[in-house]
Amino acid sequence: MALADKLNKIRSPKLQNQRERISDDRKTAIVLSAVEDTLKDQKCDFTPTAYFAALLALLSQSISSSQGIINKELATSVVYLLDHVTSYVPVALLRTKFSQILTSLAPALNPADIEAPLLRSSIGCLESLLVAQDSAAWALPPGQVGPRRALAGLLTLAVDHRPKVRKRAQDAVIYVLKSPPPSPAIDHPAADMCAETALRAFNDLLAADKTKKRKIKGHKQDDQNAPGLMHALQLIKTIAGASGGWPSKKIEALCEVLMTVSRSTNDFLTMAALETFEIMFAGMANESSSSKLPRMMEAISELRPSQNDSQLLPPWIAVISRGYDVLAQVEPEETFQKLPEFFELISGYLASASHSIRVSASECLISFFVNCVPNSVILEPSVYDEKTLERLAKLTTNLLNVRFQAAWMEVFNVLSAFFTALRWRSRPIAGEIIQTIGELRSNESFNGKKEADSVLGKAIEAMGPEAVLQLLPLNLANPKTGQAGRAWLLPVLRDHVTNTNLAHFRSEFVPLSETMFRRVLDRGDSEKTMQIKIFETLVQQIWALLPGYCSLPLDMVVAFDQSFAELLSNVLYMQTELRVDVCKALQSLVESNQELLSSEASASDLLIQRRMSKADAQNNLDRLSSFASNFLSVLFNVYGQTLPQFRGHILQCISAFLSITPLHELSDTFTKVITLLEPALAEATPQTQASKQKQRQSTTEKVPSQLHSLMDLVVTISSYLPRPTYPSLFSTAALILPRSSDPQLQKKAYKLLPRLATSATGTLALQERNADLQALLLSTAASATTPCRHDRLSAIATVITHLPASDLHFIPSILSEVVISAKEVNEKARSAAFDLLILMATKMSAGGTIAQSKIPHMDASAPDVAASLEEFFTMVSAGLVGSTPHMVSASVTALTRILYEFHAQLSKATVEDMLETISLFLTSASREIVRSVLGFVKVAIISLPTALLQPRLQTLLPGLMSWSREHKAQFRAKVKHILERAIRRFGYAEVERWTPEGDRKFLANIRKAKDRAKRKKAEGAADGHGNQKEGGKGRSVFESEYDAAVYSDSDEKDEEGSDADEENAKGRGGRTYIVEDSDSPLDLLDRKALGSISSSKPVRSRVPAAKRGKVNIDGKLVIGMDSDDNDDPMVLDSNGNGNSREISLEGGINAYVDAIKGRDSVQRGRGGRLKFSNKREKGTHDEAMDIDDEGGLKYERPVKFGNGAANGTNGVRGGGVNSGRGGLNGKKYDPKAQRKGLGMAKVRGGRVVKSGERKGKEMKNRGTGGR
């Protein structure tokens, strides 16, 4: 920014109002005005030098070296202006006036007495002065008035307790160190002084902190509030991040200080120390500072902590890891040669007892493999590189020693990184690792099988399956004695085989598959045994390896010959369960090479990643294309023999081979398919309803007809066809589309047009034949069946996408069908209709001319109309005068969708006319029409401007309220949602104003329900139990914004309640509870105290009370049970009186009576059918009997069961009150009698009825109709 712009901002009153101290700003502007007036009087130009001289004169009046600050307000304004001006002053002048300016500014740089604004401006002046000094000035000792003395004061301010002052000083130090005077040295002349000063300040603070802690007894932790240490460490980080980095002579001292800080339990200090290391490494990555890196790594290595120091070792290992990462970028070859030494040093820590040390060591070793192995070593290794790789492999193998057994899980991660880094170079040197892992994996008691499989998988990817199987043979075909089979290796191979030799599959697994399959065939037709099922599973697992072998094979040109192609063809024909794997393999052969060809990676990256070049990939595709025609014939035949649910992989494989088939062979293939299709079309007969029903039932069990299979192939081929074949393709579609007797075939024909649009050639054909396609679609509209509606709409959309501006008459010609489709039951068809309406509107809004004379059923003399968005709305609105409610409803729905999409582009008059017209349909008697109108009103209230919609409330609301009393089809709920949105948009008073008097009660209920919900929410938030949605904003269940607007409920938050919700959300957060034992209080200084702090209210677990033993009258413990024991298993209730626990008569009788005569008891009706009654009787009791205090029964009123009258004594079925159960007659309760009564049959009239007698009476009653 120029000086004039800065001064203009100072003069601007807007800036004065934005600053914190308005009075100081005004004074600064006044001082600037006075300076400029003086320059005008002296007839001087407004140059930086003139400003600088005038401000220096004012500075001597406000600040004196002997008296200090004379006028603080003037000094603040003058120094502020000097801060802006000094950087524009010539360098020679600043060097000349350095002593004068520094002497004048010295009193303003005393942090103890000066306020922050003056200090910040003084620092800015000092920064500009220091940057202007030359090498001779920096050579002056600190004792003289020179730059070093000024920089020392700046370093003091860089650790000031005020954040803004500290930040300004640190920025000044960075700028000064990044702007050294011209010199051959890398570092700034004052870098050593800055580093020494910063280290001294930090060590002094650290020593003072330790001394203070020694005096405080019982101090267990470092002081968490150590601002002085943090400020000093920040200064060190500032100097380390400056240009040139930390001075070379001070690196050892700095590393020692930082490692000491890393030992601290203060997390902030530890993080700051590690960030300092990171900044230093980042600064040393460039060429100018890279010479310091080896010295720094040597200093860090010498500071190696103790073997079991769990506090200092993890950060030290992290620093080592990052350092060698940077060193590998600067010196890749030298670092790789030293890698075994680093590896041996760090791997020793894997034997530590501390888990954190083991994890840090493993991550460091992984970093070594990832960052320190250059690509040149993998592609073209030298003799020294091969020796280094062998040493690394030996050291890595030693990690599987028993010494490191506790760290084997971490070791497995290191082994995986080893194979990933060395790739195929690990093949001859990592054999012992694979054998050891294989032995561990074969051990049934080994717990790390998953990790071992991962290591072996990485080895398979790096070395190839052939090398791994030489070391770990499967032993399946001819197992040797003493060697277990390794069938568990097949799934590992399946998941990791890639980019290897295809010939290995032919030589190793094809014979193995034949052996296993022969054993399956040898069983004949006998029952399958478990061994036969195992053989079948092995065959499937073997062929599941083929897709991996076919992913960029290295020897495809040699290995994929005629014999192998014939083998795959026979498997496709004969083995239906293996078709999926073979199709995946063939598809992978094509697509993996195509992916490599289209890759944007460099040639070297492709070689290091895939060991192949783009030329190799092209050769592979050329080789495959020679087999494409034959494979397509095989796949076509297999496709016709496969059930529909298993055809997906075959079609994908066909599509992959079609993409590499030469054009002349592709044309011949298409001609053959069309030749077979035409007679099949001629022979096809219309289906009857019975045959259609039969076909639906057997769809999944029967192979589709040849006609349908051939049509699937035509659709698949269509996107790859050359242009000369398009006439026959379109003629075939024209023959099929009018056939309404076969909806599935018609559906496949409609898929041709969207399929053609996926290719460039097909797009050109669609543009050229657009007129013919329009006529075809219009002529087949009447024969289109419901199942093909979605695909027909997609075909229409394809035609309209490529519609020329001169053929816009096609849109009104087909519009009625699209509008009707907006009411389709099928969701896909409905969504396609909505998308097509938007596409049509977009096409019309682009402009053009509509020839109305070409529209069917229009007069030939109809004039042309200009295409526009308003014209399209007019066309859709024509359906509002339809003859059927369905047509009117569809038109309203279509208008709703396009209004939501294009309301911002419509004129006000168009929207008003639409609102006025559709609001009339609220008085319609058709529920179908009104349902669509309600959706339109809802969208209008949501999306239209308030000023446009508010005048229409007078007519809309009465019409809406007339449907608020209709409960069918959720009309009342829909109206309620619309009213809630209207209240939110226009306010309750405005809505109530235009609501009819008789319906205002409904409106008041809406407001009360809303207020009640708000109160409950506020109360819940105040109690800390408010409902909170997990994960923040809830996921929408709608596919588009339009669906959410039309079909969603109005459960959104009110605007007026949003503030309250935010406050509630804030109040819900931070409540915590302490879980204490009753024995001792919680020690909050303990590291384990966090486990006793809960965010939810703890609930005290209920401890069951100890059961008191039974004692006799003498107080002795009674063991065992007798006949009078109260712990009888049939006891139903007790009165809770201590040990006696007498049985309550109420509990026993009530439970039984409820079971057989209660309200929920089972009754038998006519024909002996069981009936369950949910009838609720009047009164407070379910039964018509009360229990008196003495344990007897007191009858209140008779109870009817079923349809008959009450019989028996006093009308109670089953005997009188005194007859009871088991002879209970108001006497003392007898447990034996209770057990006997419950075990007997029902009691009628006081005597026991036997089972046979009871059944006979029941049959007699049913026979005579008695109840």
Side-chain angles (χ1 to χ4, degrees):
M1 185 182 294
L3 177 61
D5 296 333
K6 291 184 177 181
L7 297 180
N8 286 333
K9 283 191 174 184
I10 295 175
R11 301 186 192 99
S12 173
K14 293 182 179 180
L15 182 67
Q16 298 174 15
N17 294 331
Q18 292 173 3
R19 293 180 58 83
E20 298 175 0
R21 301 181 63 180
I22 299 176
S23 59
D24 291 346
D25 297 330
R26 290 175 181 171
K27 293 174 182 177
T28 303
I30 293 171
V31 171
L32 177 60
S33 177
V35 169
E36 292 175 345
D37 291 341
T38 303
L39 294 178
K40 287 179 183 179
D41 294 340
Q42 296 177 358
K43 297 181 181 181
C44 296
D45 296 332
F46 291 171
T47 60
T49 305
Y51 279 113
F52 185 68
L55 290 172
L56 281 182
L58 282 176
L59 182 64
S60 61
Q61 299 177 13
S62 57
I63 301 177
S64 172
S65 57
S66 58
Q67 300 179 9
I69 298 178
I70 302 172
N71 188 341
K72 185 182 71 173
E73 295 178 353
L74 180 60
T76 303
S77 301
V78 170
V79 176
Y80 180 76
L81 291 172
L82 269 176
D83 183 17
H84 285 74
V85 171
T86 307
S87 58
Y88 297 94
V89 176
V91 175
L93 180 61
L94 293 178
R95 291 175 183 172
T96 305
K97 298 290 185 180
F98 178 80
S99 301
Q100 177 187 350
I101 299 172
L102 184 60
T103 305
S104 302
L105 283 177
L109 291 172
N110 186 3
D113 304 329
I114 307 304
E115 295 180 355
L118 180 56
L119 264 180
R120 293 200 302 270
S121 301
S122 303
I123 291 170
C125 297
L126 195 57
E127 173 189 329
S128 302
L129 285 173
L130 292 175
V131 170
Q133 303 308 306
D134 54 6
S135 300
W138 284 108
L140 294 175
Q144 297 183 13
V145 178
R148 288 180 177 270
R149 187 172 182 179
L151 186 57
L154 201 58
L155 292 173
T156 304
L157 293 173
V159 292
D160 192 82
H161 65 280
R162 287 165 289 192
K164 291 184 179 181
V165 174
R166 187 170 64 250
K167 181 68 169 58
R168 187 69 180 87
Q170 290 175 1
D171 292 343
V173 171
I174 292 176
Y175 187 67
V176 170
L177 293 179
K178 284 186 176 182
S179 306
S183 171
I186 298 175
D187 298 332
H188 192 281
D192 291 341
M193 186 196 74
C194 292
E196 186 177 353
T197 304
L199 285 176
R200 189 189 311 113
F202 185 82
N203 288 326
D204 291 345
L205 288 171
L206 195 62
D209 188 60
K210 290 181 179 179
T211 305
K212 179 180 178 182
K213 288 175 181 177
R214 289 194 197 100
K215 295 179 180 179
I216 302 176
K217 296 182 180 180
H219 195 282
K220 297 181 180 180
Q221 281 186 315
D222 289 353
D223 187 9
Q224 296 295 326
N225 299 314
L229 289 172
M230 287 296 299
H231 300 162
L233 193 56
Q234 182 66 29
L235 177 59
I236 293 175
K237 194 188 332 182
T238 299
I239 298 172
S243 179
W246 193 265
S248 303
K249 299 178 182 179
K250 306 294 181 181
I251 285 179
E252 292 84 353
L254 175 63
C255 293
E256 184 177 357
V257 168
L258 292 179
M259 296 308 299
T260 304
V261 173
S262 300
R263 190 189 298 270
S264 171
T265 57
N266 188 326
D267 295 336
F268 296 105
L269 287 175
T270 305
M271 289 174 59
L274 296 178
E275 287 175 2
T276 306
F277 276 119
E278 179 69 24
I279 290 173
M280 292 174 65
F281 287 135
M284 294 178 183
N286 54 47
E287 296 181 1
S288 60
S289 304
S290 59
S291 59
K292 301 178 182 179
L293 190 56
R295 185 170 183 176
M296 181 174 177
M297 294 306 303
E298 184 180 352
I300 295 174
S301 301
E302 292 175 355
L303 294 172
R304 182 171 53 178
S306 173
Q307 183 78 16
N308 297 316
D309 192 342
S310 59
Q311 275 190 328
L312 193 55
L313 260 178
W316 181 80
I317 293 174
V319 171
I320 286 285
S321 173
R322 177 59 179 148
Y324 283 114
D325 179 14
V326 178
L327 193 61
Q329 298 175 24
V330 177
E331 301 174 350
E333 298 294 338
E334 293 79 358
T335 305
F336 177 71
Q337 296 299 329
K338 297 178 182 178
L339 187 57
E341 301 175 8
F342 309 152
F343 191 92
E344 187 175 8
L345 173 67
I346 301 299
S347 61
Y349 295 109
L350 288 173
S352 174
S354 172
H355 177 70
S356 60
I357 294 177
R358 296 198 303 268
V359 171
S360 298
S362 65
E363 291 177 352
C364 182
L365 295 178
I366 293 172
S367 175
F368 285 165
F369 283 125
V370 172
N371 301 311
C372 300
V373 180
N375 292 338
S376 60
V377 174
I378 305 301
L379 292 176
E380 298 177 357
S382 63
V383 177
Y384 296 104
D385 293 337
E386 291 179 352
K387 292 182 179 180
T388 304
L389 289 174
E390 291 176 0
R391 289 182 60 194
L392 279 175
K394 187 175 181 180
L395 291 172
T396 307
T397 306
N398 292 337
L399 296 181
L400 293 172
N401 199 304
V402 180
R403 173 191 173 195
F404 302 104
Q405 186 172 3
W408 269 358
M409 296 300 106
E410 290 80 14
V411 167
F412 286 160
N413 294 332
V414 176
L415 295 178
S416 298
F418 169 80
F419 286 112
T420 303
L422 269 61
R423 301 183 182 274
W424 63 89
R425 296 296 173 190
S426 58
R427 179 167 185 172
I429 58 178
E432 189 176 351
I433 296 176
I434 295 175
Q435 288 180 338
T436 307
I437 296 293
E439 293 173 1
L440 290 173
R441 176 62 177 79
S442 300
N443 190 350
E444 293 296 331
S445 61
F446 182 62
N447 295 326
K449 291 184 173 62
K450 182 178 179 182
E451 291 77 10
D453 288 346
S454 177
V455 175
L456 291 176
K458 295 297 182 182
I460 291 169
E461 292 177 4
M463 303 169 58
E466 184 177 2
V468 175
L469 290 177
Q470 286 177 356
L471 299 168
L472 300 175
L474 293 174
N475 295 329
L476 296 178
N478 299 310
K480 300 178 181 178
T481 56
Q483 294 184 2
R486 295 187 177 91
W488 52 265
L489 198 54
L490 290 174
V492 181
L493 288 166
R494 178 198 62 204
D495 296 337
H496 295 91
V497 169
T498 182
N499 196 207
T500 186
N501 294 320
L502 183 59
H504 179 253
F505 181 83
R506 296 185 59 184
S507 61
E508 177 77 17
F509 289 105
V510 171
L512 180 61
S513 172
E514 293 175 353
T515 303
M516 296 299 165
F517 189 67
R518 194 177 301 113
R519 293 178 183 178
V520 175
L521 294 179
D522 290 344
R523 70 176 177 85
D525 297 331
S526 60
E527 184 181 358
K528 284 186 179 181
T529 62
M530 181 59 68
Q531 189 176 11
I532 297 300
K533 292 180 180 178
I534 290 175
F535 290 150
E536 290 179 346
T537 304
L538 287 175
V539 172
Q540 293 178 359
Q541 288 182 337
I542 289 169
W543 282 95
L545 305 178
L546 184 58
Y549 276 94
C550 291
S551 176
L552 276 182
L554 301 175
D555 59 344
M556 201 204 78
V557 176
V558 179
F560 199 91
D561 54 8
Q562 185 67 28
S563 60
F564 188 64
E566 292 175 357
L567 172 65
L568 295 181
S569 301
N570 291 330
V571 173
L572 285 172
Y573 277 124
M574 306 298 295
Q575 301 292 326
T576 56
E577 64 275 4
L578 302 179
R579 285 176 181 172
V580 173
D581 293 321
V582 176
C583 288
K584 283 183 177 179
L586 293 173
Q587 182 183 353
S588 179
L589 274 176
V590 178
E591 293 181 350
S592 59
N593 285 282
Q594 288 177 338
E595 183 181 355
L596 184 65
L597 272 178
S598 61
S599 175
E600 297 179 357
S602 62
S604 59
D605 290 339
L606 291 178
L607 287 176
I608 195 69
Q609 293 172 6
R610 295 297 186 181
R611 287 190 284 177
M612 288 178 63
S613 63
K614 291 187 177 182
D616 297 332
Q618 186 60 54
N619 293 334
N620 292 342
L621 291 177
D622 294 340
R623 177 69 173 171
L624 283 173
S625 64
S626 63
F627 295 96
S629 180
N630 295 330
F631 265 117
L632 285 176
S633 301
V634 173
L635 291 169
F636 286 174
N637 293 331
V638 171
Y639 183 81
Q641 302 169 7
T642 309
L643 293 174
Q645 58 267 33
F646 304 113
R647 287 181 163 187
H649 294 289
I650 302 176
L651 267 185
Q652 293 175 5
C653 185
I654 290 173
S655 180
F657 269 92
L658 285 171
S659 64
I660 61 170
T661 305
L663 291 180
H664 66 279
E665 294 183 6
L666 197 58
S667 301
D668 296 341
T669 304
F670 176 71
T671 303
K672 293 177 183 178
V673 175
I674 291 295
T675 304
L676 295 173
L677 183 63
E678 289 175 352
L681 280 173
E683 295 173 2
T685 56
Q687 291 181 318
T688 61
Q689 188 66 28
S691 62
K692 289 181 181 179
Q693 185 69 21
K694 185 177 180 180
Q695 183 181 0
R696 291 193 198 100
Q697 294 175 356
S698 61
T699 300
T700 58
E701 302 173 0
K702 184 180 178 181
V703 176
S705 65
Q706 183 187 12
L707 182 59
H708 286 197
S709 299
L710 290 173
M711 195 60 204
D712 285 337
L713 297 178
V714 169
V715 174
T716 306
I717 298 173
S718 60
S719 60
Y720 303 99
L721 288 176
R723 293 186 66 179
T725 59
Y726 284 154
S728 58
L729 179 66
F730 287 119
S731 61
T732 303
L735 287 174
I736 297 176
L737 289 181
R739 291 174 174 258
S740 60
S741 59
D742 194 343
Q744 292 301 319
L745 187 63
Q746 196 180 52
K747 187 175 182 179
K748 298 176 190 300
Y750 276 118
K751 289 181 178 180
L752 277 173
L753 296 184
R755 180 79 177 177
L756 280 175
T758 59
S759 66
T761 310
T763 303
L764 291 175
L766 290 174
Q767 294 173 356
E768 293 175 358
R769 296 177 175 269
N770 202 278
D772 298 336
L773 294 175
Q774 295 173 32
L776 180 61
L777 289 173
L778 289 174
S779 62
T780 56
S783 59
T785 56
T786 301
C788 70
R789 183 68 60 190
H790 169 252
D791 295 293
R792 176 175 169 83
L793 292 172
S794 299
I796 295 173
T798 304
V799 173
I800 290 179
T801 302
H802 303 92
L803 193 68
S806 58
D807 291 348
L808 291 179
H809 61 274
F810 177 68
I811 292 179
S813 302
I814 205 76
L815 181 59
S816 59
E817 179 183 354
V818 180
V819 171
I820 285 291
S821 300
K823 293 285 290 182
E824 279 288 333
V825 177
N826 185 282
E827 184 181 359
K828 289 184 178 179
R830 196 167 59 247
S831 299
F834 287 148
D835 295 340
L836 185 51
L837 283 170
I838 295 173
L839 179 62
M840 288 177 167
T842 305
K843 199 75 176 178
M844 292 281 287
S845 62
T849 303
I850 302 174
Q852 296 192 90
S853 58
K854 296 182 180 180
I855 301 175
H857 310 296
M858 288 288 288
D859 191 359
S861 61
D864 295 345
V865 178
S868 64
L869 191 59
E870 283 79 5
E871 181 64 23
F872 182 72
F873 271 85
T874 304
M875 293 177 184
V876 179
S877 301
L880 297 177
V881 296
S883 57
T884 61
H886 187 72
M887 182 63 194
V888 177
S889 175
S891 301
V892 175
T893 303
L895 284 172
T896 304
R897 182 65 186 96
I898 57 179
L899 175 68
Y900 182 82
E901 192 73 22
F902 299 100
H903 63 88
Q905 304 176 27
L906 292 174
S907 62
K908 182 179 179 182
T910 304
V911 177
E912 288 179 345
D913 292 343
M914 197 185 312
L915 282 172
E916 185 176 357
T917 303
I918 294 183
S919 62
L920 298 176
F921 287 99
L922 284 172
T923 60
S924 173
S926 172
R927 290 190 179 91
E928 184 179 9
I929 295 176
V930 174
R931 189 183 300 113
S932 300
V933 173
L934 291 179
F936 180 89
V937 173
K938 187 174 183 180
V939 167
I941 289 178
I942 291 172
S943 57
L944 294 183
T946 307
L948 181 64
L949 196 61
Q950 192 164 0
R952 297 290 171 183
L953 294 179
Q954 184 176 0
T955 56
L956 283 175
L957 289 177
L960 285 173
M961 299 308 296
S962 63
W963 289 96
S964 63
R965 295 176 291 275
E966 181 66 52
H967 292 275
K968 290 184 179 180
Q970 297 183 344
F971 277 99
R972 183 179 177 87
K974 292 177 184 295
V975 172
K976 179 183 176 183
H977 298 157
I978 294 172
L979 290 175
E980 288 177 350
R981 292 182 181 271
I983 292 172
R984 189 179 307 126
R985 193 91 188 274
F986 306 104
Y988 181 83
E990 185 68 18
V991 175
E992 185 183 30
R993 175 186 175 190
W994 302 113
T995 303
E997 188 69 30
D999 296 316
R1000 291 185 178 178
K1001 185 177 180 181
F1002 179 60
L1003 202 63
N1005 288 336
I1006 294 175
R1007 184 182 64 176
K1008 290 179 181 178
K1010 206 71 177 176
D1011 294 342
R1012 191 181 306 115
K1014 284 183 180 180
R1015 285 197 302 271
K1016 287 184 178 180
K1017 193 170 185 179
E1019 291 172 0
D1023 295 338
H1025 303 292
N1027 295 329
Q1028 299 180 14
K1029 290 185 179 180
E1030 296 181 3
K1033 189 175 181 180
R1035 180 196 274 174
S1036 175
V1037 297
F1038 300 101
E1039 296 184 356
S1040 65
E1041 295 181 3
Y1042 170 74
D1043 291 344
V1046 176
Y1047 304 115
S1048 67
D1049 294 341
S1050 56
D1051 293 331
E1052 302 167 11
K1053 296 181 180 178
D1054 292 347
E1055 296 176 1
E1056 54 201 41
S1058 60
D1059 295 336
D1061 293 341
E1062 291 178 3
E1063 293 177 3
N1064 293 339
K1066 293 177 182 178
R1068 283 196 293 266
R1071 183 170 295 195
T1072 53
Y1073 302 88
I1074 295 177
V1075 183
E1076 275 188 310
D1077 293 334
S1078 57
D1079 300 334
S1080 60
L1082 179 65
D1083 183 9
L1084 292 176
L1085 296 178
D1086 190 0
R1087 290 178 179 269
K1088 299 180 181 178
L1090 188 61
S1092 300
I1093 298 176
S1094 173
S1095 59
S1096 58
K1097 188 174 183 179
V1099 180
R1100 187 179 297 276
S1101 58
R1102 296 183 178 180
V1103 180
K1107 221 172 182 180
R1108 294 182 60 186
K1110 298 179 182 180
V1111 293
N1112 59 10
I1113 193 170
D1114 298 327
K1116 295 181 179 180
L1117 184 65
V1118 177
I1119 300 177
M1121 298 176 61
D1122 54 20
S1123 59
D1124 294 331
D1125 193 357
N1126 288 336
D1127 282 342
D1128 195 283
M1130 299 304 295
V1131 171
L1132 300 177
D1133 202 355
S1134 65
N1135 57 10
N1137 295 330
N1139 294 327
S1140 60
R1141 298 197 307 170
E1142 294 182 0
I1143 299 302
S1144 164
L1145 183 61
E1146 306 161 349
I1149 293 178
N1150 277 342
Y1152 190 65
V1153 170
D1154 285 344
I1156 63 173
K1157 295 184 180 181
R1159 178 168 52 88
D1160 300 326
S1161 62
V1162 182
Q1163 305 293 327
R1164 286 190 181 273
R1166 292 186 178 182
R1169 295 181 180 179
L1170 297 178
K1171 297 195 305 181
F1172 298 88
S1173 174
N1174 58 358
K1175 187 175 180 181
R1176 188 176 298 275
E1177 303 237 359
K1178 296 181 180 180
T1180 57
H1181 300 287
D1182 291 337
E1183 308 297 334
M1185 53 184 68
D1186 284 346
I1187 310 300
D1188 59 9
D1189 294 338
E1190 273 72 26
L1193 299 180
K1194 182 175 67 176
Y1195 176 70
E1196 281 190 350
R1197 66 176 183 273
V1199 182
K1200 295 182 180 181
F1201 293 91
N1203 296 327
N1207 51 23
T1209 307
N1210 292 336
V1212 180
R1213 182 181 178 184
V1217 176
N1218 292 332
S1219 61
R1221 293 290 172 196
L1224 294 179
N1225 198 11
K1227 299 180 181 179
K1228 186 175 180 180
Y1229 177 75
D1230 186 3
K1232 292 183 178 180
Q1234 174 72 4
R1235 289 198 300 273
K1236 184 176 180 181
L1238 289 175
M1240 293 181 178
K1242 292 184 178 180
V1243 178
R1244 296 181 182 271
R1247 69 185 183 87
V1248 176
V1249 181
K1250 295 182 179 180
S1251 177
E1253 183 181 352
R1254 184 183 62 207
K1255 290 182 180 178
K1257 289 185 179 181
E1258 289 179 355
M1259 292 294 294
K1260 182 179 180 182
N1261 290 337
R1262 286 200 296 269
T1264 58
R1267 291 177 174 83

